[in-house]
Amino acid sequence: MIKLRKARTTARERLTIPMLKYMNDLLLSFRTYFARQATFEWFVVIIVGFMLRSDHLGVTTVFRDLALNSRCYETMLHIFRSSAWSLESLRLTWLHVVRRTTPLLVVQDRVVLGQG
């Protein structure tokens, strides 16, 4: 009989699932601000695409880097013109998420950004 050894997991593998769960939880904070599920799903694709993109040449980079089907390009662009979401709602939600998840340095009632 052959005994199988349990493969050792690498540090990267141990961090991947918690990071994906963390990202999922953060992105789900925005779900209520989209009138349609499909619009929210495109929002998630765009956000992940912007996080992973290899250059700053716009939305086409998201398609290229995520290897999306080019037939969906126009559909994805529609999200930028859609009335199914509000920029102000997303902005306020983003501020709430940042305040909830990130320690902020405040000096004289102003948030200080930068590397220390």
Side-chain angles (χ1 to χ4, degrees), residues 59 63 72-82:
V59 176
F63 263 79
C72 297
Y73 185 74
E74 291 295 326
T75 304
M76 189 186 74
L77 285 182
H78 178 71
I79 192 175
F80 296 102
R81 303 182 298 272
S82 174

Side-chain angles (χ1 to χ4, degrees), residues 1-6:
M1 179 174 182
I2 299 174
K3 288 188 175 182
L4 298 176
R5 281 189 336 180
K6 184 176 179 180

Side-chain angles (χ1 to χ4, degrees), residues 17-111:
I17 297 300
M19 179 56 75
L20 291 175
K21 183 180 178 339
Y22 179 74
M23 287 176 48
N24 183 63
D25 292 344
L26 287 180
L27 290 170
L28 281 175
S29 301
F30 294 89
R31 174 58 188 103
T32 58
Y33 298 100
F34 290 89
R36 298 178 56 236
Q37 179 67 24
T39 308
F40 172 70
E41 289 171 2
W42 276 115
F43 167 77
V44 170
V45 168
I46 292 166
I47 295 300
V48 171
F50 282 155
M51 290 170 62
L52 300 175
R53 68 187 174 170
S54 59
D55 59 47
H56 296 275
L57 298 177
V59 176
T60 56
T61 301
V62 171
F63 263 79
R64 185 174 50 256
D65 290 349
L66 295 181
L68 299 175
N69 188 325
S70 62
R71 289 182 283 161
C72 297
Y73 185 74
E74 291 295 326
T75 304
M76 189 186 74
L77 285 182
H78 178 71
I79 192 175
F80 296 102
R81 303 182 298 272
S82 174
S83 60
W85 60 278
S86 156
L87 180 60
E88 183 62 13
S89 295
L90 293 182
R91 187 185 73 77
L92 291 173
T93 302
W94 175 248
L95 289 173
H96 175 73
V97 166
V98 168
R99 287 184 179 134
R100 185 183 75 217
T101 60
T102 308
L104 298 175
L105 174 60
V106 179
V107 176
Q108 297 178 352
D109 295 328
R110 295 177 187 239
V111 175

